[in-house]
Amino acid sequence: MKKLALLLLLIAFSVALIAETVTLEYWMWDPSIKDKVEKAIAKFEETHPNIKVNLTVMEPKNYWPKMRTLAFTKKLPDVFNMSSGYLEEWAKNKFLLDLTNYVENDLDKDKFFFNLFEAGKRISGTDRYYAIPFALVVTVLYYNKDAFDEAGIPYPDENWTWDDFLDAAKRLTKDKDGDGEIDQWGFWFYGRYAHVESWIYANGGRLINRETMRFEPDENALEALKFLVSLVKEHKVAPMPKEMKGIRQQDVFPRGLAAMWVDGSWNIENNRKIIGDKFRWGIAPVPVGPHGSKDVAYGWPDFVAISATTKHPKEAWEFAKFIAGEGLTLDMYMAGKIPSYKALTMSEEFDEVGKQPVEKGKVLRELASRKLLNSFTMGWSEWRGYGAAESMGLNGLIDAVLNGEMAFDEMLDQAYKNVNRVLKRYYK
Amino acid sequence: MKKGFSWYKPWHGWIFLIPTLIGLFVFRIGPIIFAFFMSFTDWNIMLQPTWIGLDNYKELFTDPNFYQILLNTFEFSLIYVTGTMVFGLLLAVLVNSKIKGIKFFRTAYFTPVVTSAVAVGIIWSWILSPKYGLLNVILEKWFGVTPPSWLGDAKWALPTVAFVQTWKMMGYYMIIYLAGLQNIPSHLYEAARIDGASKFQSFWRITLPLLSPTTFFAFTIAIIDSFRNFEIIYTMTQGGPQYASTTLVYSVYVNAFVFYRMGYASAVAYVLLGVVGLITWINFLLKKYWVQRIY
């Protein structure tokens, strides 16, 4: 009897071992694709019968406060979305699992745009991989093809210089109904990060000295800033930001108020919605500055990360790899977001033939393979002036110059003081 | 009748208050106390808070922008309190009549009060927009005046936002004053008319003095209310341009939920509490000098 009992126990134990399912918690920030993600999860569970994934979706504005609370109470989900803006803070505070071993030994690097992994390493401020990129956004030059045709100017391409740009902007700034007020501006911008940094990087410049982690714009960056300011003050091809108050900044170009605009590629969706068939428009890389080169781009990835305290690192890695790459389909990406999984970006579907902008596939693929630069640091929202704090920080200072309320040198003076005051708090 | 309620002791009343007291403590008093202690820490939500004593307050008082924010807060309150009380009274006098259909106007003036601040902010942002905004189109086409960018100009941003908030809330003070007006016995007006008083004299000598308790109430509420301006600023100017329309409340939000500096934000919130508390206390102290009672 004793032997039988022992045998039964052994069988039960091994059955339990084999049948042991691991449950993973996955949190993401895009409610609009919830169904599609659930389908992807079902597909994953089919090929990984011992792993079950529970999905939680949050609205973007609720996501971060909730995530931070979970980090504090040590109840982070196993796998979750991570943004470039916070990667450094989370990695350095040891909330993310170090994925370097997995990336180097268990990842088919050719299947991804590997430069995005490198960008992630740079952003984290460490020499380890802490997150898997699943999407990329870059900034592009949007231009109104009909306005270009009307003015007889050839369309921009990747070889456009700042002189080409300025020349076009001058010819595109028009007072169409003769009432003394400009109806179509050549260009539209303000102190926003996506508007300004694009030009700084296109000129080979930088805002932050990564060795000292202090605000130290170099010659090229200052040249870019001065160039932008001259567009409003000297050449008058762009309006003062305060003139466009009351209109959402992303609506200025699609409403035909400006013939050119530089901002993130994710605006393609809003452009399509507002422009419809009213005019033809296209995208091109940001014009190259006198000291810039064509092998860098201003962009940043969105990531999938794994909690450092997960109880199932191996299973979490399997799932994270899947949900950042092969598990995704193009319809999960907002127009203008670029998948990091090459199969998706290189597919014909990515070109979205029949929709504007017609050069979407070509331009975005080319930009996705460039070296990605950005100026994210800890405390970035505060010193740069982002979101609800847009009027503050560097954003507010640049706007003050553009609106004629502050001189350029005074702005720079204050910027040194204010930005470094914030940076000192995070980087001693 | 002895059996009635005689077995109730006085302290039994407290038992019935327990649900309310719990709610009051958990949702109001508890967070207020918690925020007090938080203001002496450095806490970014993710990590454990670290005690830093008065450092947050020191940083606050040496921040060059803080004084502008404080000034903005007072300026906003000044415009708001004056505006709502003057226009609230004006509207109340206007709707305090028995004309047919006057109820429609009472409702109409009150509607902005119950409309979402975000909706109000969006519509007014459009009206005040330099391009295509209704106001600027009228000013330019009919009056030939070139108006400033109401929300984009550093000089105008704060008064404009204060104006919109005043417009939104004046209906509330209208209701308060309306109640006060209707409590004034009409025989006083009749007696005044018989004695040959003009409308203006009636208003100045009868209405206003007898309204003083109402005015005191409205004044107290308006002061406290004037500091609650987050939504309108968030929707219209985001505190800009460059702190020109940032008030203490907006600063609390930005520091807590954009910069994740909970400790610092709590310190700002406590400064706000101190300011409101001080003004309200002064208000109550001065009450006996100008508030009259109706007997």
Side-chain angles (χ1 to χ4, degrees), chain A residues 64 68 72 86 89-90 181-182 242-243 245 255 257 382 388 391 396-397 405 425, chain B residues 44-47 129-132 140 149 153-154 236 238-240 242 250 259-261:
Chain A
W64 286 111
R68 297 178 81 95
F72 181 66
Y86 294 122
E89 190 186 9
W90 283 64
E181 248 186 68
I182 310 242
K242 65 181 174 185
E243 286 178 46
K245 256 296 181 189
R255 286 171 61 167
L257 295 167
E382 189 176 352
S391 68
L397 284 170
E405 288 157 8
R425 224 188 288 140
Chain B
N44 68 0
I45 309 182
M46 288 210 299
L47 306 171
S129 165
K131 264 213 160 346
Y132 313 137
E140 281 180 18
S149 167
D153 199 308
M236 297 185 88
Q238 293 89 52
Q242 251 238 311
Y250 196 77
F259 308 158
Y260 296 118
R261 301 185 66 202

mmCIF file of all heavy atoms in Angstrom, chain A residues 64 68 72 86 89-90 181-182 242-243 245 255 257 382 388 391 396-397 405 425, chain B residues 44-47 129-132 140 149 153-154 236 238-240 242 250 259-261:
data_model
loop_
_atom_site.group_PDB
_atom_site.id
_atom_site.type_symbol
_atom_site.label_atom_id
_atom_site.label_comp_id
_atom_site.label_asym_id
_atom_site.label_seq_id
_atom_site.Cartn_x
_atom_site.Cartn_y
_atom_site.Cartn_z
ATOM 1 N N TRP A 64 0.779 56.433 -16.693
ATOM 2 C CA TRP A 64 2.003 56.650 -15.919
ATOM 3 C C TRP A 64 1.809 56.806 -14.423
ATOM 4 O O TRP A 64 2.544 56.218 -13.635
ATOM 5 C CB TRP A 64 2.828 57.790 -16.522
ATOM 6 C CG TRP A 64 3.468 57.319 -17.772
ATOM 7 C CD1 TRP A 64 3.182 57.697 -19.044
ATOM 8 C CD2 TRP A 64 4.465 56.292 -17.882
ATOM 9 N NE1 TRP A 64 3.936 56.976 -19.928
ATOM 10 C CE2 TRP A 64 4.732 56.121 -19.256
ATOM 11 C CE3 TRP A 64 5.147 55.505 -16.951
ATOM 12 C CZ2 TRP A 64 5.659 55.195 -19.713
ATOM 13 C CZ3 TRP A 64 6.071 54.583 -17.412
ATOM 14 C CH2 TRP A 64 6.322 54.436 -18.779
ATOM 15 N N ARG A 68 3.595 54.173 -11.899
ATOM 16 C CA ARG A 68 4.520 54.599 -10.854
ATOM 17 C C ARG A 68 4.061 54.107 -9.493
ATOM 18 O O ARG A 68 4.864 53.724 -8.645
ATOM 19 C CB ARG A 68 4.666 56.112 -10.862
ATOM 20 C CG ARG A 68 5.259 56.643 -12.149
ATOM 21 C CD ARG A 68 5.340 58.143 -12.134
ATOM 22 N NE ARG A 68 6.495 58.594 -11.401
ATOM 23 C CZ ARG A 68 7.663 58.899 -11.948
ATOM 24 N NH1 ARG A 68 7.826 58.781 -13.244
ATOM 25 N NH2 ARG A 68 8.666 59.310 -11.201
ATOM 26 N N PHE A 72 5.992 51.592 -6.938
ATOM 27 C CA PHE A 72 6.196 51.919 -5.530
ATOM 28 C C PHE A 72 5.735 50.783 -4.627
ATOM 29 O O PHE A 72 6.396 50.435 -3.649
ATOM 30 C CB PHE A 72 5.428 53.203 -5.196
ATOM 31 C CG PHE A 72 5.582 53.652 -3.782
ATOM 32 C CD1 PHE A 72 6.814 54.068 -3.304
ATOM 33 C CD2 PHE A 72 4.500 53.674 -2.921
ATOM 34 C CE1 PHE A 72 6.964 54.502 -1.993
ATOM 35 C CE2 PHE A 72 4.642 54.115 -1.619
ATOM 36 C CZ PHE A 72 5.873 54.529 -1.144
ATOM 37 N N TYR A 86 10.862 57.916 -20.159
ATOM 38 C CA TYR A 86 11.042 57.414 -18.789
ATOM 39 C C TYR A 86 12.020 56.259 -18.692
ATOM 40 O O TYR A 86 12.310 55.792 -17.602
ATOM 41 C CB TYR A 86 9.698 56.959 -18.224
ATOM 42 C CG TYR A 86 8.720 58.097 -18.027
ATOM 43 C CD1 TYR A 86 7.485 58.088 -18.660
ATOM 44 C CD2 TYR A 86 9.040 59.177 -17.222
ATOM 45 C CE1 TYR A 86 6.602 59.124 -18.488
ATOM 46 C CE2 TYR A 86 8.156 60.220 -17.045
ATOM 47 C CZ TYR A 86 6.935 60.191 -17.676
ATOM 48 O OH TYR A 86 6.060 61.216 -17.518
ATOM 49 N N GLU A 89 14.969 56.721 -16.241
ATOM 50 C CA GLU A 89 14.606 56.744 -14.823
ATOM 51 C C GLU A 89 14.305 55.349 -14.315
ATOM 52 O O GLU A 89 14.763 54.933 -13.263
ATOM 53 C CB GLU A 89 13.394 57.652 -14.634
ATOM 54 C CG GLU A 89 13.081 57.952 -13.191
ATOM 55 C CD GLU A 89 11.791 58.740 -13.027
ATOM 56 O OE1 GLU A 89 11.061 58.912 -14.026
ATOM 57 O OE2 GLU A 89 11.513 59.157 -11.888
ATOM 58 N N TRP A 90 13.525 54.609 -15.108
ATOM 59 C CA TRP A 90 13.126 53.282 -14.659
ATOM 60 C C TRP A 90 14.306 52.314 -14.656
ATOM 61 O O TRP A 90 14.434 51.473 -13.778
ATOM 62 C CB TRP A 90 12.004 52.756 -15.553
ATOM 63 C CG TRP A 90 10.681 53.374 -15.224
ATOM 64 C CD1 TRP A 90 10.335 54.694 -15.349
ATOM 65 C CD2 TRP A 90 9.535 52.720 -14.700
ATOM 66 N NE1 TRP A 90 9.047 54.892 -14.933
ATOM 67 C CE2 TRP A 90 8.532 53.699 -14.535
ATOM 68 C CE3 TRP A 90 9.252 51.397 -14.349
ATOM 69 C CZ2 TRP A 90 7.264 53.398 -14.036
ATOM 70 C CZ3 TRP A 90 7.989 51.102 -13.865
ATOM 71 C CH2 TRP A 90 7.010 52.094 -13.716
ATOM 72 N N GLU A 181 -2.855 90.881 -44.569
ATOM 73 C CA GLU A 181 -2.519 89.831 -43.604
ATOM 74 C C GLU A 181 -2.105 88.583 -44.363
ATOM 75 O O GLU A 181 -2.735 88.218 -45.355
ATOM 76 C CB GLU A 181 -3.762 89.475 -42.795
ATOM 77 C CG GLU A 181 -3.665 89.887 -41.350
ATOM 78 C CD GLU A 181 -4.859 89.369 -40.589
ATOM 79 O OE1 GLU A 181 -4.978 88.145 -40.426
ATOM 80 O OE2 GLU A 181 -5.682 90.211 -40.197
ATOM 81 N N ILE A 182 -1.057 87.941 -43.894
ATOM 82 C CA ILE A 182 -0.579 86.731 -44.556
ATOM 83 C C ILE A 182 -1.575 85.589 -44.336
ATOM 84 O O ILE A 182 -1.973 85.318 -43.207
ATOM 85 C CB ILE A 182 0.784 86.316 -43.990
ATOM 86 C CG1 ILE A 182 1.740 87.504 -43.971
ATOM 87 C CG2 ILE A 182 1.344 85.142 -44.754
ATOM 88 C CD1 ILE A 182 2.955 87.362 -44.806
ATOM 89 N N LYS A 242 2.136 83.335 -30.914
ATOM 90 C CA LYS A 242 0.902 83.867 -30.330
ATOM 91 C C LYS A 242 -0.154 84.188 -31.370
ATOM 92 O O LYS A 242 -1.331 84.320 -31.036
ATOM 93 C CB LYS A 242 1.177 85.091 -29.466
ATOM 94 C CG LYS A 242 1.705 86.302 -30.180
ATOM 95 C CD LYS A 242 1.939 87.407 -29.154
ATOM 96 C CE LYS A 242 2.599 88.610 -29.779
ATOM 97 N NZ LYS A 242 2.938 89.617 -28.769
ATOM 98 N N GLU A 243 0.232 84.276 -32.626
ATOM 99 C CA GLU A 243 -0.759 84.535 -33.665
ATOM 100 C C GLU A 243 -1.606 83.322 -33.962
ATOM 101 O O GLU A 243 -2.677 83.436 -34.540
ATOM 102 C CB GLU A 243 -0.066 84.964 -34.963
ATOM 103 C CG GLU A 243 0.462 86.373 -34.919
ATOM 104 C CD GLU A 243 1.173 86.735 -36.207
ATOM 105 O OE1 GLU A 243 0.621 86.450 -37.290
ATOM 106 O OE2 GLU A 243 2.293 87.277 -36.124
ATOM 107 N N LYS A 245 -2.670 81.212 -31.632
ATOM 108 C CA LYS A 245 -3.346 80.757 -30.417
ATOM 109 C C LYS A 245 -4.790 80.423 -30.727
ATOM 110 O O LYS A 245 -5.435 81.094 -31.520
ATOM 111 C CB LYS A 245 -3.331 81.875 -29.369
ATOM 112 C CG LYS A 245 -2.331 81.680 -28.255
ATOM 113 C CD LYS A 245 -2.649 80.487 -27.442
ATOM 114 C CE LYS A 245 -1.702 80.247 -26.303
ATOM 115 N NZ LYS A 245 -1.943 78.951 -25.689
ATOM 116 N N ARG A 255 -4.772 72.668 -42.073
ATOM 117 C CA ARG A 255 -5.780 73.649 -42.439
ATOM 118 C C ARG A 255 -5.268 74.636 -43.478
ATOM 119 O O ARG A 255 -5.946 75.602 -43.798
ATOM 120 C CB ARG A 255 -6.285 74.384 -41.191
ATOM 121 C CG ARG A 255 -7.202 73.485 -40.363
ATOM 122 C CD ARG A 255 -7.555 74.072 -39.045
ATOM 123 N NE ARG A 255 -8.268 75.330 -39.175
ATOM 124 C CZ ARG A 255 -8.910 75.931 -38.177
ATOM 125 N NH1 ARG A 255 -8.936 75.359 -37.004
ATOM 126 N NH2 ARG A 255 -9.501 77.085 -38.352
ATOM 127 N N LEU A 257 -2.834 76.751 -43.306
ATOM 128 C CA LEU A 257 -2.337 78.040 -42.844
ATOM 129 C C LEU A 257 -0.834 78.167 -43.042
ATOM 130 O O LEU A 257 -0.293 79.269 -43.012
ATOM 131 C CB LEU A 257 -2.682 78.238 -41.365
ATOM 132 C CG LEU A 257 -4.188 78.319 -41.092
ATOM 133 C CD1 LEU A 257 -4.462 78.187 -39.608
ATOM 134 C CD2 LEU A 257 -4.719 79.642 -41.598
ATOM 135 N N GLU A 382 10.294 68.611 -17.432
ATOM 136 C CA GLU A 382 10.376 69.869 -16.688
ATOM 137 C C GLU A 382 11.294 70.875 -17.381
ATOM 138 O O GLU A 382 10.912 72.022 -17.585
ATOM 139 C CB GLU A 382 10.878 69.598 -15.266
ATOM 140 C CG GLU A 382 10.789 70.824 -14.383
ATOM 141 C CD GLU A 382 11.192 70.545 -12.947
ATOM 142 O OE1 GLU A 382 11.407 69.368 -12.591
ATOM 143 O OE2 GLU A 382 11.288 71.524 -12.185
ATOM 144 N N ALA A 388 1.477 69.610 -20.257
ATOM 145 C CA ALA A 388 0.857 70.672 -19.461
ATOM 146 C C ALA A 388 1.870 71.735 -19.052
ATOM 147 O O ALA A 388 1.495 72.815 -18.608
ATOM 148 C CB ALA A 388 0.195 70.078 -18.225
ATOM 149 N N SER A 391 4.361 75.748 -21.572
ATOM 150 C CA SER A 391 4.675 77.166 -21.570
ATOM 151 C C SER A 391 5.905 77.457 -20.729
ATOM 152 O O SER A 391 6.404 78.571 -20.716
ATOM 153 C CB SER A 391 3.497 77.939 -21.004
ATOM 154 O OG SER A 391 3.376 77.619 -19.634
ATOM 155 N N GLY A 396 8.953 77.476 -23.393
ATOM 156 C CA GLY A 396 8.434 78.813 -23.099
ATOM 157 C C GLY A 396 9.445 79.899 -23.418
ATOM 158 O O GLY A 396 9.086 80.972 -23.912
ATOM 159 N N LEU A 397 10.718 79.617 -23.140
ATOM 160 C CA LEU A 397 11.758 80.622 -23.404
ATOM 161 C C LEU A 397 11.888 80.896 -24.896
ATOM 162 O O LEU A 397 11.961 82.053 -25.329
ATOM 163 C CB LEU A 397 13.094 80.136 -22.845
ATOM 164 C CG LEU A 397 13.231 80.235 -21.325
ATOM 165 C CD1 LEU A 397 14.489 79.514 -20.868
ATOM 166 C CD2 LEU A 397 13.260 81.683 -20.880
ATOM 167 N N GLU A 405 9.215 88.965 -27.079
ATOM 168 C CA GLU A 405 9.180 89.405 -25.681
ATOM 169 C C GLU A 405 10.530 89.285 -24.994
ATOM 170 O O GLU A 405 10.694 89.736 -23.869
ATOM 171 C CB GLU A 405 8.138 88.573 -24.916
ATOM 172 C CG GLU A 405 6.709 88.924 -25.294
ATOM 173 C CD GLU A 405 5.728 87.794 -25.008
ATOM 174 O OE1 GLU A 405 6.143 86.805 -24.388
ATOM 175 O OE2 GLU A 405 4.557 87.918 -25.400
ATOM 176 N N ARG A 425 19.482 68.485 -10.244
ATOM 177 C CA ARG A 425 18.701 67.716 -9.282
ATOM 178 C C ARG A 425 18.788 66.225 -9.575
ATOM 179 O O ARG A 425 18.798 65.398 -8.676
ATOM 180 C CB ARG A 425 17.240 68.149 -9.375
ATOM 181 C CG ARG A 425 16.567 68.348 -8.052
ATOM 182 C CD ARG A 425 15.103 68.576 -8.245
ATOM 183 N NE ARG A 425 14.768 69.862 -8.799
ATOM 184 C CZ ARG A 425 13.811 70.043 -9.726
ATOM 185 N NH1 ARG A 425 13.140 69.026 -10.169
ATOM 186 N NH2 ARG A 425 13.542 71.251 -10.177
ATOM 187 N N ASN B 44 9.051 60.882 -5.628
ATOM 188 C CA ASN B 44 8.634 60.859 -7.023
ATOM 189 C C ASN B 44 7.664 59.718 -7.314
ATOM 190 O O ASN B 44 7.554 59.272 -8.440
ATOM 191 C CB ASN B 44 9.864 60.767 -7.937
ATOM 192 C CG ASN B 44 10.568 59.421 -7.818
ATOM 193 O OD1 ASN B 44 10.149 58.561 -7.057
ATOM 194 N ND2 ASN B 44 11.636 59.239 -8.560
ATOM 195 N N ILE B 45 6.990 59.284 -6.319
ATOM 196 C CA ILE B 45 6.024 58.187 -6.352
ATOM 197 C C ILE B 45 6.684 56.816 -6.453
ATOM 198 O O ILE B 45 6.274 55.882 -5.779
ATOM 199 C CB ILE B 45 4.981 58.293 -7.510
ATOM 200 C CG1 ILE B 45 4.314 59.655 -7.532
ATOM 201 C CG2 ILE B 45 3.907 57.238 -7.340
ATOM 202 C CD1 ILE B 45 3.263 59.773 -8.606
ATOM 203 N N MET B 46 7.692 56.667 -7.315
ATOM 204 C CA MET B 46 8.227 55.325 -7.538
ATOM 205 C C MET B 46 9.095 54.834 -6.387
ATOM 206 O O MET B 46 9.060 53.679 -6.016
ATOM 207 C CB MET B 46 9.083 55.322 -8.806
ATOM 208 C CG MET B 46 8.266 55.423 -10.056
ATOM 209 S SD MET B 46 9.059 54.606 -11.433
ATOM 210 C CE MET B 46 10.544 55.547 -11.549
ATOM 211 N N LEU B 47 9.887 55.758 -5.857
ATOM 212 C CA LEU B 47 10.821 55.349 -4.804
ATOM 213 C C LEU B 47 10.281 55.765 -3.446
ATOM 214 O O LEU B 47 9.330 56.509 -3.347
ATOM 215 C CB LEU B 47 12.178 56.018 -5.032
ATOM 216 C CG LEU B 47 12.764 55.776 -6.415
ATOM 217 C CD1 LEU B 47 13.995 56.650 -6.614
ATOM 218 C CD2 LEU B 47 13.132 54.322 -6.587
ATOM 219 N N SER B 129 -9.349 83.653 -30.424
ATOM 220 C CA SER B 129 -8.213 83.329 -31.284
ATOM 221 C C SER B 129 -7.914 84.478 -32.241
ATOM 222 O O SER B 129 -8.824 85.074 -32.798
ATOM 223 C CB SER B 129 -8.538 82.054 -32.065
ATOM 224 O OG SER B 129 -7.647 81.914 -33.131
ATOM 225 N N PRO B 130 -6.615 84.813 -32.426
ATOM 226 C CA PRO B 130 -6.271 85.907 -33.331
ATOM 227 C C PRO B 130 -6.687 85.597 -34.772
ATOM 228 O O PRO B 130 -7.057 86.482 -35.522
ATOM 229 C CB PRO B 130 -4.744 86.000 -33.249
ATOM 230 C CG PRO B 130 -4.354 85.207 -32.072
ATOM 231 C CD PRO B 130 -5.432 84.236 -31.790
ATOM 232 N N LYS B 131 -6.629 84.311 -35.135
ATOM 233 C CA LYS B 131 -7.022 83.945 -36.483
ATOM 234 C C LYS B 131 -8.420 83.348 -36.410
ATOM 235 O O LYS B 131 -8.637 82.384 -35.724
ATOM 236 C CB LYS B 131 -6.065 82.872 -37.015
ATOM 237 C CG LYS B 131 -4.943 83.453 -37.845
ATOM 238 C CD LYS B 131 -4.554 82.483 -38.929
ATOM 239 C CE LYS B 131 -3.810 83.028 -40.105
ATOM 240 N NZ LYS B 131 -3.712 84.409 -40.386
ATOM 241 N N TYR B 132 -9.366 83.896 -37.122
ATOM 242 C CA TYR B 132 -10.728 83.371 -37.204
ATOM 243 C C TYR B 132 -11.521 83.501 -35.913
ATOM 244 O O TYR B 132 -12.666 83.098 -35.865
ATOM 245 C CB TYR B 132 -10.765 81.878 -37.578
ATOM 246 C CG TYR B 132 -9.896 81.494 -38.734
ATOM 247 C CD1 TYR B 132 -9.125 80.345 -38.687
ATOM 248 C CD2 TYR B 132 -9.832 82.272 -39.880
ATOM 249 C CE1 TYR B 132 -8.333 79.977 -39.749
ATOM 250 C CE2 TYR B 132 -9.031 81.912 -40.937
ATOM 251 C CZ TYR B 132 -8.281 80.761 -40.859
ATOM 252 O OH TYR B 132 -7.482 80.389 -41.904
ATOM 253 N N GLU B 140 -11.759 93.793 -35.629
ATOM 254 C CA GLU B 140 -11.020 94.269 -36.801
ATOM 255 C C GLU B 140 -11.942 94.776 -37.893
ATOM 256 O O GLU B 140 -11.739 95.847 -38.448
ATOM 257 C CB GLU B 140 -10.129 93.151 -37.347
ATOM 258 C CG GLU B 140 -8.856 92.986 -36.546
ATOM 259 C CD GLU B 140 -7.986 91.866 -37.097
ATOM 260 O OE1 GLU B 140 -8.200 91.468 -38.255
ATOM 261 O OE2 GLU B 140 -7.103 91.407 -36.360
ATOM 262 N N SER B 149 -3.100 89.226 -29.192
ATOM 263 C CA SER B 149 -3.423 87.807 -29.074
ATOM 264 C C SER B 149 -3.779 87.588 -27.608
ATOM 265 O O SER B 149 -2.919 87.506 -26.747
ATOM 266 C CB SER B 149 -2.207 86.961 -29.464
ATOM 267 O OG SER B 149 -2.410 85.621 -29.083
ATOM 268 N N ASP B 153 -0.401 86.572 -25.581
ATOM 269 C CA ASP B 153 0.417 87.719 -25.207
ATOM 270 C C ASP B 153 0.634 87.700 -23.689
ATOM 271 O O ASP B 153 -0.318 87.581 -22.936
ATOM 272 C CB ASP B 153 -0.319 88.992 -25.631
ATOM 273 C CG ASP B 153 0.624 90.172 -25.699
ATOM 274 O OD1 ASP B 153 1.343 90.429 -24.722
ATOM 275 O OD2 ASP B 153 0.636 90.833 -26.761
ATOM 276 N N ALA B 154 1.878 87.881 -23.284
ATOM 277 C CA ALA B 154 2.200 87.783 -21.859
ATOM 278 C C ALA B 154 1.414 88.786 -21.011
ATOM 279 O O ALA B 154 1.085 88.520 -19.870
ATOM 280 C CB ALA B 154 3.694 87.963 -21.649
ATOM 281 N N MET B 236 -6.903 76.578 -21.623
ATOM 282 C CA MET B 236 -6.708 77.731 -22.494
ATOM 283 C C MET B 236 -5.251 78.123 -22.741
ATOM 284 O O MET B 236 -4.888 78.451 -23.851
ATOM 285 C CB MET B 236 -7.470 78.943 -21.926
ATOM 286 C CG MET B 236 -8.967 78.710 -21.898
ATOM 287 S SD MET B 236 -9.856 80.168 -21.360
ATOM 288 C CE MET B 236 -10.089 80.990 -22.911
ATOM 289 N N GLN B 238 -2.325 76.721 -20.661
ATOM 290 C CA GLN B 238 -1.314 75.859 -20.012
ATOM 291 C C GLN B 238 -0.309 76.691 -19.212
ATOM 292 O O GLN B 238 0.886 76.406 -19.194
ATOM 293 C CB GLN B 238 -0.539 74.998 -21.020
ATOM 294 C CG GLN B 238 -1.390 73.949 -21.713
ATOM 295 C CD GLN B 238 -2.017 74.528 -22.957
ATOM 296 O OE1 GLN B 238 -1.330 75.095 -23.794
ATOM 297 N NE2 GLN B 238 -3.321 74.389 -23.072
ATOM 298 N N GLY B 239 -0.807 77.727 -18.592
ATOM 299 C CA GLY B 239 0.061 78.514 -17.728
ATOM 300 C C GLY B 239 0.901 79.536 -18.475
ATOM 301 O O GLY B 239 1.640 80.292 -17.871
ATOM 302 N N GLY B 240 0.768 79.569 -19.811
ATOM 303 C CA GLY B 240 1.659 80.429 -20.582
ATOM 304 C C GLY B 240 1.099 81.784 -20.876
ATOM 305 O O GLY B 240 0.019 82.112 -20.425
ATOM 306 N N GLN B 242 4.947 81.339 -20.821
ATOM 307 C CA GLN B 242 6.068 81.434 -19.897
ATOM 308 C C GLN B 242 5.680 81.904 -18.508
ATOM 309 O O GLN B 242 6.119 82.944 -18.064
ATOM 310 C CB GLN B 242 7.099 82.426 -20.461
ATOM 311 C CG GLN B 242 8.353 81.802 -20.935
ATOM 312 C CD GLN B 242 9.556 82.368 -20.211
ATOM 313 O OE1 GLN B 242 9.692 83.580 -20.102
ATOM 314 N NE2 GLN B 242 10.396 81.513 -19.717
ATOM 315 N N TYR B 250 -2.176 75.710 -10.620
ATOM 316 C CA TYR B 250 -1.606 75.110 -11.817
ATOM 317 C C TYR B 250 -0.209 74.589 -11.538
ATOM 318 O O TYR B 250 0.189 73.531 -11.996
ATOM 319 C CB TYR B 250 -1.570 76.129 -12.965
ATOM 320 C CG TYR B 250 -1.361 75.473 -14.296
ATOM 321 C CD1 TYR B 250 -2.410 74.817 -14.930
ATOM 322 C CD2 TYR B 250 -0.115 75.470 -14.915
ATOM 323 C CE1 TYR B 250 -2.227 74.182 -16.144
ATOM 324 C CE2 TYR B 250 0.083 74.837 -16.122
ATOM 325 C CZ TYR B 250 -0.984 74.198 -16.741
ATOM 326 O OH TYR B 250 -0.795 73.564 -17.934
ATOM 327 N N PHE B 259 5.934 66.627 -13.474
ATOM 328 C CA PHE B 259 7.314 66.472 -13.037
ATOM 329 C C PHE B 259 7.459 65.386 -11.971
ATOM 330 O O PHE B 259 8.576 65.025 -11.617
ATOM 331 C CB PHE B 259 7.850 67.788 -12.453
ATOM 332 C CG PHE B 259 7.665 68.970 -13.358
ATOM 333 C CD1 PHE B 259 7.655 70.252 -12.823
ATOM 334 C CD2 PHE B 259 7.521 68.837 -14.722
ATOM 335 C CE1 PHE B 259 7.499 71.364 -13.642
ATOM 336 C CE2 PHE B 259 7.361 69.934 -15.550
ATOM 337 C CZ PHE B 259 7.344 71.204 -15.000
ATOM 338 N N TYR B 260 6.354 64.894 -11.453
ATOM 339 C CA TYR B 260 6.374 63.857 -10.416
ATOM 340 C C TYR B 260 7.212 64.266 -9.218
ATOM 341 O O TYR B 260 7.998 63.478 -8.697
ATOM 342 C CB TYR B 260 6.856 62.519 -10.997
ATOM 343 C CG TYR B 260 5.908 61.980 -12.033
ATOM 344 C CD1 TYR B 260 6.310 61.793 -13.351
ATOM 345 C CD2 TYR B 260 4.589 61.682 -11.706
ATOM 346 C CE1 TYR B 260 5.430 61.325 -14.308
ATOM 347 C CE2 TYR B 260 3.703 61.215 -12.653
ATOM 348 C CZ TYR B 260 4.122 61.038 -13.957
ATOM 349 O OH TYR B 260 3.258 60.580 -14.889
ATOM 350 N N ARG B 261 7.028 65.517 -8.770
ATOM 351 C CA ARG B 261 7.718 65.962 -7.564
ATOM 352 C C ARG B 261 6.654 66.188 -6.498
ATOM 353 O O ARG B 261 6.224 67.300 -6.244
ATOM 354 C CB ARG B 261 8.482 67.257 -7.822
ATOM 355 C CG ARG B 261 9.527 67.117 -8.919
ATOM 356 C CD ARG B 261 10.313 68.385 -9.046
ATOM 357 N NE ARG B 261 11.111 68.612 -7.841
ATOM 358 C CZ ARG B 261 11.569 69.800 -7.460
ATOM 359 N NH1 ARG B 261 11.303 70.874 -8.181
ATOM 360 N NH2 ARG B 261 12.289 69.929 -6.373
#
